Structure formats: structure tokens, C-alpha cells
Amino acid sequence: LAAFASGGCASASSGGGRGRAAAAGKAPAKRKAPRTHLHAELVRNRRDPNPSPKVAVRDALAALAQGEASGTCEAVEALLARSGEERVPEDWQRRYKTGAQVYWDHFYEERTVNFFKDRHYLREEFAELMPEEVLQDPKQWIDHLEVAEATPAPASREALLAAMRGRLVVLEVGCAVGNGILPLLRFNSGLFGIACDLSPVAVRFLREKEEFGCGRCLAFPSDITRGAGEQPTAEHEALESVVPEACVDFVTLLFVLSAIDPQMHRNVIRRLHSRLRPGGLALFRDYGRGDLAQLRFAPGHWLGGDLFVRGDGTLAAFFTVEQLCADFEAEGFEVVECEYRRNEIVNRGTGVRMPRVWVQGKFRRKS
């Protein structure tokens, strides 16, 4: 399997042209951003020296303030309805939904490992993953994993099963560059992590991190909406080809389903169900319907329902508790808990208050 064959530290030639350019002492050539239907607008904005008025942001904040003052949701619901707004053309919708890899690859090529912060909140929010000493003081500082000598990731199915034996196993779907899986491995020395992401670029950055050499992690590119024989490239591996059936104790879904066409959500949940052992937990956190990020989308980004596309071509779906519970229950899970989490972030420079909404849930695979 490709996942096992390339499971160790990345070689100097990983990344194709990037590795060859580095070997030759040249900076890698910067790739052009993949096209979106908003390309003409972006070019026009770059040429205009005057900053465009953030009308959508202003309207979103005004609607939230009005709702808070009146105790109703009418102003927010009016924005969510997108009344009179045209959807993104169907041909572009298909491109964003089925060709997401090129947009995410470019995202990570541009931002490398510096965009996302480590998810330290997992210690408190998903205590099931933590040992007792961390639960007693979940805010304590945890140093980086000490790796005196890099240990290769498992190189075969047999080696993977041996590495998992006697440990709790967590599968992180949409691992990005490791800001979720690596903190979990730091916090709990009894964990083994399996991590996958649609973007081979993100997986490469994860494998290049020193902590990945701890010997308790396997990472591979995978399109989790597709099975074996349907993956987008030869580098990708289907989840079923790498992760043994019914062997995972926990699956984490941290802001990943929102990047996938909602029509495929049940398919993804079904696949994860088959990898979890009976009684295993799926741990979920993602954008909630009515979040500021949804309300401030300007016209031209709406794909229908609660699905949008960002300016860089990546998708952003927003969830309700009711729909999420229905999807998990339909695929053989019971709801342990599922609720909205609300927070308020204050811009220190402007003093603007920005209400945020997330959905957080825990779902148990039925026996």
C-alpha cells in the first residue's frame, strides 16, 4: 500500500518539483492559484487602490446586534434566506465539489504549516481522549514530543496492527498539517494516531514535522468520499485500504465535513462507522448555522442551502444540530451529545464583537 510505503519521514525528493528545486539550490516555482468563478472580481479588486467596503460584514454584524437587542432571529434569518440572490453556476459548483483537492493543495502550498493553531482545546472538550493526569489539570502546558531518533511509521498492515496493540486508536479525518493529531499524541502517550487528508501537500508537511517521528502515527492522503479504485490520484489511498475494519476507538471530525459537499456527508459517516469498533466514538466540531462566517458571505458565494464557496475555491458548509443528529443516527450511531457552542471574539484593533457559532457532538457506534 502506498500509505505504508511512504509512511516514514518525507524524503528530500517529496513533492516532485519542490524537492528537485531544493536539491538544485533554487527556490521552488510558485504555482498559480487555481481558477474560480470569482477570478475577474479578484483581479479587479487587486487593481483598485481603494479598499472595497465590507458591506456583507457590516450587514451581518448589524443583524446579529439587532437580534440580540430584540431577542428574535428575524434579521439573521433574513440574511440566511439569501432572498433574490443567484446561486453559483452549476458547472462551477461541480468543479468545487468534485475537484476540491487542487484548491486545498494550493491553500497549503501558500500557507505551509503556519496558518492553523494547535487545537489545545481538545483536552477539555473531548476528555475521553485524555489520561487521568491530564484530566486533573487540562490547562497544563504539554511540551512537544521528545524524539531522540525518528521512528518510521508502520510500513505494512501487520506492522500497523502491532503498533496499535495495547493502545487507544484515534483516526483524524482531515488532519491538515497535524494541529489536531500531534497535540493529542503529546497529551496521551497511550494513543496511536491515524491521520488522513485530501491534500497530499498537507500530509507531506505533517510527515516532515519532527514529532511525526515518534512512532505512534501514520499519515496518508485520502479522499474520504470515495472508495478503493475511485481515488483522485495514485498517491491517495481509500480509508478501507489502510485502516482495518472495526479497530478504531475514536474518530475526530474537526472542521472537515464543512469542506465536503453535504450530499456526501452520509457516505462519509457510513465509511467511518465501519472503521470504528462497536461502542467507539465519533467526535465532531464544525461551523454552526448562523455563524458570522456564514452571514458575511457576499453575493456570488452561495451554492444553495447552507453551502458556500470561499474566494480560494474551498467549500464552507454550516450545520444544524437537528440535521447532524439525523445523519449520524441514519448511519448506525446513537447521539451521546450534540449542541451549539457560542463564543464571542473581540477584534482588539477595532473593538468589534464577532459572535461565532459552532456545533459540537459525540456519537457512539451502536453495538
Side-chain angles (χ1 to χ4, degrees):
L1 295 175
F4 297 123
S6 59
C9 296
S11 67
S13 63
S14 69
R18 175 188 174 99
R20 289 190 293 272
K26 299 178 181 178
K30 190 174 182 179
R31 296 187 189 180
K32 287 185 177 180
R35 285 257 178 173
T36 72
H37 72 290
L38 298 165
H39 179 75
E41 177 186 341
L42 292 172
V43 171
R44 186 167 57 252
N45 289 341
R46 287 195 198 105
R47 292 173 178 171
D48 186 352
N50 301 311
S52 57
K54 298 185 180 297
V55 176
V57 177
R58 183 196 64 200
D59 291 348
L61 291 171
L64 289 166
Q66 181 179 337
E68 184 178 353
S70 65
T72 68
C73 299
E74 292 179 5
V76 171
E77 287 298 329
L79 279 182
L80 292 173
R82 318 297 292 195
S83 180
E85 184 175 334
E86 292 186 3
R87 302 183 186 189
V88 171
E90 285 296 327
D91 57 333
W92 279 104
Q93 289 207 33
R94 284 193 296 273
R95 186 179 302 193
Y96 298 135
K97 292 174 180 178
T98 63
Q101 182 197 334
V102 296
Y103 297 103
W104 282 110
D105 278 347
H106 185 262
F107 176 92
Y108 290 111
E109 286 168 348
E110 288 284 297
R111 293 162 179 82
T112 66
V113 299
N114 301 316
F115 186 78
F116 296 113
K117 295 181 180 179
D118 283 351
R119 302 185 190 277
H120 296 295
Y121 62 79
L122 297 175
R123 284 177 282 184
E124 296 180 86
E125 299 296 345
F126 298 128
E128 296 86 348
L129 294 164
M130 295 295 104
E132 185 59 34
E133 60 268 25
V134 174
L135 294 178
Q136 291 175 2
D137 184 12
K139 292 187 181 295
Q140 66 176 306
W141 174 253
I142 306 290
D143 289 327
H144 282 208
L145 290 170
E146 292 293 333
V147 181
E149 185 176 348
T151 302
S156 66
R157 175 64 66 88
E158 293 72 23
L160 175 61
L161 291 170
M164 291 162 44
R165 195 169 298 123
R167 291 190 169 108
L168 289 175
V169 179
V170 58
L171 167 64
E172 182 172 31
V173 179
C175 64
V177 298
N179 300 98
I181 195 65
L182 291 180
L184 290 177
L185 296 177
R186 288 177 211 146
F187 307 151
N188 190 342
S189 61
L191 276 182
F192 185 91
I194 303 175
C196 65
D197 197 279
L198 175 63
S199 171
V201 176
V203 172
R204 185 184 76 232
F205 283 133
L206 169 55
R207 289 173 178 167
E208 289 174 348
K209 290 188 174 183
E210 180 184 3
E211 291 180 289
F212 183 77
C214 68
R216 292 189 288 120
C217 191
L218 174 70
F220 63 100
S222 180
D223 183 340
I224 59 170
T225 69
R226 307 183 193 186
E230 302 172 322
Q231 294 293 305
T233 73
E235 190 175 2
H236 288 75
E237 290 283 344
L239 199 65
E240 297 84 353
S241 300
V242 178
V243 183
E245 186 174 2
C247 74
V248 172
D249 298 286
F250 301 98
V251 170
T252 60
L253 291 147
L254 308 174
F255 299 94
V256 61
L257 277 190
S258 57
I260 297 172
D261 177 8
Q263 296 295 322
M264 301 300 294
H265 287 176
R266 290 265 303 270
N267 175 39
V268 171
I269 294 169
R270 188 179 314 125
R271 281 201 158 86
L272 299 176
H273 180 278
S274 70
R275 301 305 102 183
L276 274 168
R277 62 169 177 78
L281 285 176
L283 307 173
F284 178 94
R285 186 178 174 99
D286 218 320
Y287 302 109
R289 187 174 189 269
D291 180 50
L292 178 62
Q294 178 179 13
L295 298 176
R296 67 186 181 189
F297 271 114
H301 293 260
W302 183 47
L303 277 68
D306 292 310
L307 181 64
F308 297 79
V309 63
R310 301 183 183 91
D312 62 3
T314 60
L315 296 179
F318 297 83
F319 294 87
T320 65
V321 163
E322 296 76 14
Q323 186 60 56
L324 188 66
C325 289
D327 286 345
F328 272 92
E329 288 177 322
E331 298 304 331
F333 286 86
E334 60 177 323
V335 179
V336 177
E337 62 181 61
C338 189
E339 61 186 1
Y340 293 106
R341 294 292 184 92
R342 302 180 188 275
N343 193 14
E344 188 173 82
I345 300 171
V346 179
N347 185 312
R348 294 181 181 179
T350 63
V352 174
R353 297 160 56 201
M354 298 178 288
R356 303 304 307 272
V357 181
W358 294 282
V359 173
Q360 184 163 304
K362 300 177 183 179
F363 307 91
R364 180 179 289 114
R365 176 184 166 171
K366 295 178 181 178
S367 301

